Amino acid sequence: MVVVIPKKRRDGKSSFLKLVFYLSFREDNPGDIPVTADAFFDRPSTSKIAVFDRLIDYIDRHASPESQHLITHLPDGSHRILCEGVLCQTNTLSIETASSEMNAVALKNTRCKDPVYHFFLSWPETDSPTVEQIFESARHSLKALGMSDHQYVTAIHRDTDHLHCHVAANRIHPVTYKVADDAYDISKLHKASREMELKYGWTRTNGCHVINENNRIVRSCSKEKSMPDDAKKLEYYSDQESLYGYAVRECRPEISEILKADSIYWERIHAVLIRAGLELKKKDRGLAIYDRVHPEQTPFKASSLHPQLTLSKLVPRIGEFENAPRVMEFKNEQGEVTLTNYMVSSHYDDRLHLRDHQARMTRRLERAEAREELKLRYQTDKKEAKCPSFDAKNRFRTLSMTFRFRRAHVCVAVRDPLMRKLAWHVLAFEREKAMAELRLKLKEERAHWYRAPENRRLSYRVWVEQQALKGDKAAISQLRGWAYQAKRDERTAYLSDTVIECAVSDDIAPVELKGYTHHIHRDGVILYKKEGVTQMIDRGETIEMARPFENEGDNMVAGLHLAEQKSGEKRVFSGPREYVEKACSLVRDLNEMGETSLTLTDSLQQKRVCEIRPQDKPAPISFDSPNLTP
């Protein structure tokens, strides 16, 4: 069981209202909505007023009663309620008044700047806790924090890859109005999690406390430092591989082996980093790792790569620090490197994405360049899309000149000073009235122009969706990149277990197949339909086929045509044995007819394709046989 405490606001303005709303109401952008040219998803407003209005609607019973109802009352005074499909438990009067009750109690303690406390518990996919066990774990965690009698709202969410439970609590006691101490809260929660793991036999996870071989909970001693915060944010929010992540993947195993050896020297450590395009340098009183190709990249502590990679631990073993040796390259007349004293096999590239680091470098670079070109095209389109002025300046100037002429006419036509002054006042009033009418008219014209879908300034995500509709491969790849971090329930549901596995980040544009129409979803999935029914799904790395044996295997043949358009780096049939046998026989038939040139990457399946002979193929079932009856 994993415990996560989200970072708080630094201004002390955490809101019970927004937190309770997030726990109980889920209105996100589903990933399985088809992308269309004229329909845009409008995310509900998360402003305080909008959130409060939606909660008031619930109080007034404007929400559908079948979606929110009371489940049960518990002996301790708490109760459970199903709210918009989310099962919640709270010891307040109700979910809709929980934030108001918590705020009322929090106002009794003026010294506590931030009374909102929020954490969540997550379980691996290998564990299947019951609802009772989930809520018991939440109550046990609150007890470990000393907040067992405090107001709380607990909600179970199943909209990610892992089942998790959010807990929102008020740090102010509802009777004594004393604030609960949140010092060492992570350590307390981790210990409580280990206790629940021992009680229910769940998968053991790491943390401040671990379970040793004697089934005792002890403090953990981490040998490796955690990822720096900047690198973590870059990889999580931008899906870009950080310099730290690249160094760990390329160099940490070899550095660990070198530092375990009895005899080591600085040149061996430098050689490993040079091979990855990195360099170890002194920084202040410690060591840091830099990018050799782009020194402007922010370096990171060498001890983050390995805890032994520090001056205090290495100088006593191998002597004073030695700078990295110079890399010498000898090139021929064509500019190609023919000889070097240190081989450089890879470089860090901040354009590459984290999710496809196992893909071939050529395809990674192609994808990164396509994404960069996609962003440049959006910026160009954004600059060119300008709102028309509606000739507002000339229209105001014309109106002003009209009243100026009328004022001059009054000066000539009206000789009485009092009447002239009165006429000027009337003209001034009419002028302001006409100016106001013109401003309202211009406002209405602009609003009418903005309401037209073709004139709307699109956000980057919506613009990418429209480009994907046009068959842009980079846009489809970008949609899949966004879906990589998305929640599982928001993605397009899986179609079938009969699959053709392809290589990592093996993206292609939609293929025109006879009898099929293609549709693109917001998560980058391409659906191929026949007569309105989904027959195939292309997710990039997999091709799923429904009903592969119907109509003489039409869907399997179409799936093979899709797989032929892929890179061919990986092409493996996955699914029931009957499906794999049938697919292998189809590969041989199509290759013999010259329609495709497919080669399977699985040696056993390729051997099966080569072994199949026409006489080996199963004979079609005939009801004329005396042994079979219809």
Side-chain angles (χ1 to χ4, degrees):
M1 186 170 66
V2 180
V3 179
V4 179
I5 303 178
K7 287 189 176 181
K8 287 188 174 184
R9 296 174 55 135
R10 297 183 179 180
D11 55 4
K13 295 182 180 179
S14 299
S15 169
F16 283 120
L17 179 65
K18 289 191 176 182
L19 182 54
V20 171
F21 175 78
Y22 170 74
L23 299 185
S24 55
F25 294 87
R26 304 308 301 272
E27 296 185 38
D28 294 326
N29 184 358
D32 58 353
I33 296 178
V35 178
T36 59
D38 55 352
F40 305 106
F41 178 81
D42 293 327
R43 186 178 298 277
S45 173
T46 58
S47 66
K48 182 179 292 187
I49 296 176
V51 171
F52 185 76
D53 288 344
R54 284 197 286 268
L55 288 177
I56 292 299
D57 287 344
Y58 174 72
I59 297 173
D60 294 339
R61 298 298 184 266
H62 291 172
S64 57
E66 65 273 6
S67 63
Q68 300 154 353
H69 57 276
L70 180 68
I71 301 297
T72 182
H73 286 285
L74 300 176
D76 60 355
S78 60
H79 56 277
R80 293 176 188 168
I81 185 172
L82 190 64
C83 187
E84 291 291 336
V86 178
L87 184 60
C88 306
Q89 179 172 317
T90 179
N91 59 354
T92 59
L93 295 178
S94 62
I95 288 291
E96 60 270 19
T97 62
S99 60
S100 301
E101 295 178 51
M102 291 181 180
N103 281 321
V105 172
L107 290 174
K108 295 294 185 179
N109 189 314
T110 58
R111 294 185 178 182
C112 182
K113 300 299 181 182
D114 191 0
V116 179
Y117 194 85
H118 174 216
F119 67 93
F120 62 88
L121 311 173
S122 177
W123 285 263
E125 292 182 347
T126 54
D127 296 333
S128 300
T130 63
V131 171
E132 295 293 339
Q133 293 171 350
I134 293 173
F135 286 129
E136 182 185 353
S137 300
R139 291 194 301 270
H140 184 71
S141 300
L142 288 172
K143 184 178 180 180
L145 293 170
M147 291 192 286
S148 56
D149 296 329
H150 290 229
Q151 297 165 312
Y152 70 87
V153 175
T154 305
I156 300 175
H157 288 176
R158 304 178 184 272
D159 53 359
T160 63
D161 291 342
H162 302 283
L163 170 68
H164 63 282
C165 168
H166 286 266
V167 182
N170 188 357
R171 292 176 57 205
I172 310 301
H173 194 279
V175 178
T176 63
Y177 304 128
K178 292 183 178 180
V179 60
D181 187 10
D182 59 353
Y184 308 105
D185 54 345
I186 295 179
S187 177
K188 296 174 184 177
L189 289 173
H190 281 194
K191 186 175 181 180
S193 299
R194 302 295 90 77
E195 292 171 352
M196 300 306 294
E197 289 171 1
L198 281 176
K199 182 176 181 179
Y200 291 111
W202 291 331
T203 302
R204 298 179 180 182
T205 54
N206 297 324
C208 299
H209 290 81
V210 295
I211 302 174
N212 62 10
E213 60 275 5
N214 299 323
N215 283 338
R216 297 183 60 185
I217 301 175
V218 296
R219 291 282 301 183
S220 63
C221 299
S222 177
K223 296 181 180 180
E224 296 178 353
K225 294 185 178 180
S226 60
M227 179 182 291
D229 288 342
D230 292 341
K232 189 183 299 183
K233 291 178 181 177
L234 178 67
E235 295 190 354
Y236 182 81
Y237 293 108
S238 302
D239 188 28
Q240 292 181 1
E241 188 174 34
S242 63
L243 181 63
Y244 167 83
Y246 168 78
V248 167
R249 178 168 56 86
E250 293 289 336
C251 304
R252 177 177 281 178
E254 294 186 41
I255 293 290
S256 300
E257 293 298 326
I258 291 174
L259 295 177
K260 289 178 184 177
D262 296 331
S263 60
I264 59 175
Y265 44 93
W266 288 107
E267 194 272 338
R268 289 190 62 191
I269 298 176
H270 286 307
V272 174
L273 295 172
I274 289 173
R275 178 186 57 80
L278 304 174
E279 185 174 359
L280 184 66
K281 293 182 181 180
K282 269 190 174 183
K283 184 181 181 183
D284 298 331
R285 291 181 294 178
L287 295 176
I289 295 178
Y290 291 78
D291 185 0
R292 294 177 64 92
V293 180
H294 301 286
E296 67 277 2
Q297 286 282 350
T298 304
F300 63 92
K301 288 183 178 180
S303 59
S304 300
L305 181 62
H306 196 282
Q308 299 290 328
L309 204 58
T310 61
L311 288 175
S312 60
K313 296 181 179 179
L314 288 180
V315 168
R317 294 180 60 187
I318 58 178
E320 292 297 326
F321 176 74
E322 300 176 4
N323 292 324
R326 182 183 177 186
V327 179
M328 302 180 63
E329 297 179 345
F330 301 92
K331 301 181 180 179
N332 57 16
E333 296 178 354
Q334 288 76 25
E336 300 173 349
V337 178
T338 58
L339 184 63
T340 179
N341 57 342
Y342 288 96
M343 179 61 68
V344 180
S345 59
S346 62
H347 293 284
Y348 170 68
D349 193 337
D350 58 359
R351 300 176 303 166
L352 302 181
H353 291 257
L354 177 66
R355 72 185 181 97
D356 54 3
H357 68 84
Q358 295 180 345
R360 288 194 177 183
M361 183 55 65
T362 54
R363 196 153 64 251
R364 291 193 73 186
L365 291 174
E366 289 176 359
R367 169 176 281 192
E369 292 172 358
R371 295 267 183 96
E372 291 296 323
E373 191 268 340
L374 189 68
K375 292 178 181 177
L376 290 176
R377 280 197 285 133
Y378 172 71
Q379 294 297 334
T380 303
D381 290 355
K382 188 176 180 181
K383 290 179 181 178
E384 293 178 353
K386 295 181 179 179
C387 175
S389 63
F390 299 98
D391 200 24
K393 185 176 181 179
N394 290 331
R395 291 166 73 177
F396 276 111
R397 183 180 298 171
T398 302
L399 187 61
S400 178
M401 291 296 296
T402 301
F403 281 94
R404 187 177 300 175
F405 288 135
R406 291 180 63 182
R407 180 184 175 91
H409 176 72
V410 169
C411 291
V412 176
V414 181
R415 309 305 302 172
D416 188 353
L418 293 178
M419 294 300 295
R420 185 188 308 139
K421 189 174 183 179
L422 179 61
W424 285 346
H425 284 305
V426 172
L427 284 177
F429 173 77
E430 292 180 354
R431 181 182 183 277
E432 292 300 321
K433 180 181 176 182
M435 288 290 184
E437 291 176 350
L438 180 57
R439 280 193 291 269
L440 291 175
K441 187 175 182 180
L442 286 171
K443 184 178 180 180
E444 184 180 354
E445 291 177 1
R446 290 192 181 99
H448 179 74
W449 188 86
Y450 277 114
R451 279 195 295 268
E454 63 273 10
N455 298 329
R456 191 180 305 176
R457 180 171 291 180
L458 305 180
S459 65
Y460 182 57
R461 185 174 190 117
V462 177
W463 182 84
V464 169
E465 292 173 357
Q466 301 306 307
Q467 297 301 309
L469 276 178
K470 301 175 183 178
D472 192 299
K473 187 173 72 173
I476 295 174
S477 175
Q478 179 65 75
L479 291 178
R480 288 171 179 161
W482 285 326
Y484 176 71
Q485 294 286 355
K487 304 170 177 103
R488 182 171 60 187
D489 285 356
E490 291 180 356
R491 300 177 186 170
T492 301
Y494 288 93
L495 181 65
S496 172
D497 59 349
T498 52
V499 175
I500 302 178
E501 297 180 5
C502 304
V504 177
S505 66
D506 213 345
D507 299 326
I508 61 172
V511 179
E512 296 294 338
L513 299 173
K514 186 177 181 181
Y516 293 85
T517 59
H518 63 264
H519 306 268
I520 301 174
H521 277 186
R522 293 181 183 271
D523 53 0
V525 169
I526 306 175
L527 277 67
Y528 292 88
K529 296 185 178 182
K530 182 183 290 186
E531 298 179 356
V533 179
T534 302
Q535 307 292 341
M536 291 183 298
I537 292 181
D538 179 10
R539 300 181 187 271
E541 300 179 5
T542 58
I543 300 172
E544 302 170 18
M545 295 166 289
R547 299 168 288 279
F549 303 108
E550 294 183 3
N551 298 325
E552 299 181 354
D554 284 352
N555 291 342
M556 269 200 286
V557 174
L560 292 176
H561 283 294
L562 283 180
E564 185 185 14
Q565 306 299 321
K566 303 272 186 177
S567 66
E569 179 184 338
K570 182 179 180 182
R571 194 180 287 125
V572 178
F573 297 117
S574 175
R577 182 177 178 180
E578 181 184 7
Y579 157 74
V580 175
E581 293 288 335
K582 177 66 174 177
C584 290
S585 65
L586 278 176
V587 169
R588 179 176 178 84
D589 291 345
L590 295 175
N591 287 344
E592 287 180 350
M593 291 186 293
E595 293 188 8
T596 62
S597 57
L598 290 174
T599 302
L600 304 182
T601 55
D602 183 88
S603 57
L604 295 178
Q605 293 183 8
Q606 182 61 28
K607 183 179 179 182
R608 179 58 181 161
V609 170
C610 297
E611 288 177 352
I612 294 176
R613 297 290 185 271
Q615 61 270 22
D616 297 333
K617 299 177 185 176
I621 298 176
S622 174
F623 290 105
D624 296 335
S625 174
N627 298 326
L628 297 174
T629 56

XYZ file of all heavy atoms in Angstrom, residues 32-71:
322
model
N -12.034 8.466 -24.519
C -12.642 7.679 -25.590
C -13.716 8.450 -26.340
O -14.565 7.859 -26.989
C -13.238 6.378 -25.023
C -14.269 6.650 -23.938
O -14.416 7.820 -23.550
O -14.915 5.685 -23.496
N -13.697 9.800 -26.241
C -14.629 10.618 -27.022
C -14.054 10.806 -28.417
O -12.900 11.204 -28.557
C -14.857 11.986 -26.354
C -15.532 11.796 -24.987
C -15.687 12.893 -27.235
C -15.745 13.093 -24.251
N -14.812 10.524 -29.474
C -14.262 10.716 -30.821
C -13.951 12.173 -31.096
O -14.646 13.079 -30.635
C -15.388 10.204 -31.735
C -16.235 9.339 -30.866
C -16.146 9.911 -29.494
N -12.893 12.401 -31.856
C -12.510 13.746 -32.260
C -13.342 14.138 -33.467
O -13.414 13.406 -34.455
C -11.004 13.790 -32.617
C -10.619 15.185 -33.080
C -10.176 13.385 -31.420
N -14.000 15.294 -33.397
C -14.794 15.794 -34.518
C -14.357 17.210 -34.839
O -13.717 17.886 -34.036
C -16.298 15.765 -34.189
O -16.534 16.583 -33.031
C -16.766 14.348 -33.902
N -14.747 17.673 -36.020
C -14.300 18.992 -36.476
C -15.078 20.126 -35.843
O -14.622 21.261 -35.811
C -14.415 19.080 -38.002
N -16.267 19.858 -35.310
C -17.111 20.938 -34.806
C -17.524 20.771 -33.355
O -18.268 21.581 -32.829
C -18.376 21.067 -35.651
C -19.139 19.752 -35.731
O -18.609 18.738 -35.259
O -20.249 19.747 -36.276
N -17.059 19.707 -32.684
C -17.433 19.491 -31.289
C -16.183 19.564 -30.429
O -15.236 18.828 -30.654
C -18.110 18.118 -31.123
N -16.195 20.470 -29.449
C -15.070 20.639 -28.550
C -15.529 20.331 -27.135
O -16.629 20.701 -26.728
C -14.516 22.064 -28.611
C -14.142 22.487 -30.002
C -14.931 23.387 -30.709
C -13.014 21.980 -30.608
C -14.589 23.777 -31.978
C -12.667 22.367 -31.875
C -13.450 23.263 -32.569
N -14.638 19.664 -26.383
C -14.974 19.347 -24.998
C -14.735 20.563 -24.123
O -13.652 21.139 -24.144
C -14.121 18.176 -24.498
C -14.375 17.820 -23.055
C -15.454 17.034 -22.720
C -13.541 18.293 -22.062
C -15.690 16.700 -21.392
C -13.775 17.963 -20.736
C -14.850 17.162 -20.405
N -15.739 20.991 -23.367
C -15.622 22.124 -22.449
C -15.513 21.585 -21.035
O -16.484 21.025 -20.507
C -16.841 23.047 -22.570
C -16.879 23.733 -23.920
O -15.798 24.018 -24.455
O -17.981 23.961 -24.437
N -14.323 21.734 -20.433
C -14.128 21.260 -19.072
C -14.906 22.153 -18.109
O -14.887 23.370 -18.228
C -12.646 21.276 -18.727
C -12.340 20.645 -17.369
C -10.850 20.652 -17.123
N -10.164 19.860 -18.121
C -10.038 18.556 -18.054
N -10.555 17.897 -17.037
N -9.396 17.893 -19.000
N -15.618 21.565 -17.130
C -16.370 22.392 -16.183
C -15.446 23.341 -15.433
O -14.306 23.009 -15.127
C -16.996 21.354 -15.236
C -16.997 20.080 -16.004
C -15.808 20.136 -16.907
N -15.956 24.523 -15.125
C -15.162 25.516 -14.412
C -14.855 25.028 -13.006
O -15.687 24.415 -12.342
C -15.924 26.841 -14.335
O -15.243 27.758 -13.512
N -13.613 25.295 -12.556
C -13.204 24.914 -11.204
C -13.072 26.128 -10.299
O -12.426 26.055 -9.256
C -11.859 24.158 -11.247
O -10.880 25.000 -11.876
C -11.987 22.864 -12.012
N -13.643 27.267 -10.707
C -13.617 28.431 -9.841
C -14.468 28.179 -8.606
O -15.355 27.319 -8.597
C -14.129 29.660 -10.583
O -15.500 29.505 -10.897
N -14.192 28.947 -7.550
C -14.905 28.737 -6.291
C -16.405 28.927 -6.474
O -17.227 28.175 -5.931
C -14.363 29.685 -5.236
C -15.008 29.498 -3.870
C -14.424 30.441 -2.840
C -12.997 30.105 -2.516
N -12.483 30.918 -1.386
N -16.793 29.928 -7.264
C -18.223 30.198 -7.472
C -18.874 29.044 -8.232
O -19.962 28.570 -7.871
C -18.405 31.521 -8.226
C -17.892 32.691 -7.373
C -19.859 31.729 -8.603
C -17.953 34.029 -8.079
N -18.200 28.565 -9.287
C -18.787 27.482 -10.086
C -18.896 26.196 -9.273
O -19.896 25.477 -9.345
C -17.938 27.249 -11.336
N -17.855 25.881 -8.479
C -17.893 24.685 -7.646
C -19.017 24.795 -6.626
O -19.782 23.853 -6.390
C -16.526 24.483 -6.956
C -16.614 23.372 -5.923
C -15.463 24.140 -7.992
N -19.141 25.983 -6.015
C -20.187 26.176 -5.015
C -21.568 26.040 -5.649
O -22.477 25.445 -5.058
C -20.020 27.542 -4.366
C -20.979 27.776 -3.228
C -20.781 27.176 -2.007
C -22.087 28.584 -3.398
C -21.664 27.385 -0.966
C -22.978 28.799 -2.369
C -22.761 28.193 -1.136
N -21.740 26.570 -6.845
C -23.036 26.457 -7.530
C -23.405 25.007 -7.783
O -24.565 24.612 -7.623
C -22.999 27.230 -8.850
C -23.007 28.739 -8.627
O -23.341 29.158 -7.509
O -22.650 29.473 -9.571
N -22.400 24.194 -8.185
C -22.701 22.781 -8.446
C -23.059 22.056 -7.153
O -23.919 21.170 -7.147
C -21.508 22.116 -9.137
C -21.400 22.490 -10.609
C -20.487 21.527 -11.353
N -19.089 21.747 -11.032
C -18.273 22.554 -11.713
N -18.751 23.227 -12.740
N -17.017 22.692 -11.378
N -22.414 22.425 -6.044
C -22.771 21.812 -4.773
C -24.164 22.257 -4.326
O -24.935 21.479 -3.763
C -21.732 22.175 -3.709
C -20.376 21.484 -3.854
C -19.420 21.977 -2.781
C -20.511 19.984 -3.777
N -24.515 23.531 -4.570
C -25.856 24.015 -4.233
C -26.901 23.280 -5.052
O -27.990 22.938 -4.565
C -25.946 25.531 -4.454
C -25.077 26.273 -3.426
C -27.382 26.019 -4.365
C -25.495 26.047 -1.990
N -26.581 23.018 -6.344
C -27.506 22.246 -7.175
C -27.769 20.878 -6.561
O -28.886 20.361 -6.608
C -26.941 22.090 -8.590
C -27.030 23.397 -9.367
O -27.775 24.292 -8.937
O -26.329 23.516 -10.388
N -26.720 20.298 -6.005
C -26.921 18.992 -5.367
C -27.799 19.109 -4.123
O -28.667 18.280 -3.857
C -25.570 18.379 -5.000
C -25.699 17.102 -4.207
C -26.131 15.929 -4.811
C -25.431 17.085 -2.845
C -26.266 14.763 -4.090
C -25.572 15.920 -2.106
C -25.989 14.755 -2.736
O -26.129 13.608 -2.015
N -27.572 20.197 -3.334
C -28.389 20.399 -2.137
C -29.855 20.572 -2.521
O -30.756 20.066 -1.850
C -27.879 21.622 -1.353
C -26.440 21.363 -0.863
C -28.786 21.944 -0.169
C -25.798 22.569 -0.234
N -30.077 21.291 -3.630
C -31.453 21.527 -4.092
C -32.037 20.331 -4.823
O -33.131 20.411 -5.383
C -31.486 22.740 -5.017
C -31.145 24.016 -4.272
O -31.276 24.036 -3.044
O -30.742 24.969 -4.948
N -31.275 19.254 -4.876
C -31.715 18.018 -5.549
C -31.899 18.219 -7.049
O -32.735 17.583 -7.670
C -33.021 17.489 -4.928
C -32.875 17.118 -3.454
C -31.858 15.991 -3.265
N -31.776 15.565 -1.887
C -30.915 16.022 -1.004
N -30.084 16.995 -1.364
N -30.877 15.554 0.218
N -31.094 19.147 -7.639
C -31.143 19.287 -9.088
C -30.437 18.131 -9.765
O -30.672 17.847 -10.932
C -30.504 20.614 -9.508
C -31.325 21.786 -9.093
N -30.868 23.078 -9.225
C -32.555 21.874 -8.526
C -31.787 23.914 -8.770
N -32.809 23.206 -8.343
N -29.502 17.496 -9.043
C -28.811 16.336 -9.617
C -29.766 15.149 -9.635
O -30.734 15.070 -8.874
C -27.564 16.008 -8.804
N -29.453 14.184 -10.484
C -30.309 13.016 -10.603
C -30.242 12.193 -9.325
O -29.158 11.873 -8.840
C -29.856 12.167 -11.802
O -28.506 11.801 -11.656
N -31.368 11.824 -8.733
C -31.354 11.101 -7.457
C -30.767 9.703 -7.586
O -30.247 9.165 -6.620
C -32.834 11.059 -7.065
C -33.581 11.258 -8.351
C -32.726 12.124 -9.210
N -30.854 9.089 -8.772
C -30.330 7.734 -8.894
C -28.808 7.704 -8.881
O -28.216 6.645 -8.679
C -30.853 7.082 -10.180
C -30.372 7.743 -11.484
C -31.269 8.884 -11.897
O -32.175 9.221 -11.111
O -31.059 9.426 -13.002
N -28.139 8.846 -9.099
C -26.682 8.857 -9.124
C -26.069 9.144 -7.757
O -24.881 8.968 -7.571
C -26.180 9.899 -10.134
O -26.578 11.197 -9.722
N -26.870 9.615 -6.784
C -26.343 9.965 -5.472
C -27.356 9.527 -4.415
O -28.476 10.038 -4.372
C -26.101 11.480 -5.367
C -25.112 11.987 -6.402
C -25.336 13.445 -6.723
O -26.294 14.051 -6.274
N -24.461 14.020 -7.524
N -26.938 8.587 -3.557
C -27.862 8.137 -2.533
C -27.084 7.570 -1.351
O -25.940 7.151 -1.478
C -28.837 7.090 -3.084
C -28.158 5.883 -3.677
N -27.700 5.862 -4.973
C -27.862 4.675 -3.135
C -27.144 4.685 -5.214
N -27.224 3.952 -4.130
N -27.723 7.570 -0.223
C -27.131 7.094 1.019
C -27.040 5.570 0.983
O -28.001 4.885 0.634
C -27.970 7.565 2.211
C -27.490 7.148 3.591
C -26.180 7.843 3.938
C -28.558 7.495 4.635
N -25.862 5.052 1.397
C -25.665 3.601 1.404
C -25.983 3.014 2.772
O -26.831 2.139 2.903
C -24.222 3.256 0.992
C -23.928 3.798 -0.415
C -24.001 1.745 1.022
C -24.773 3.199 -1.498
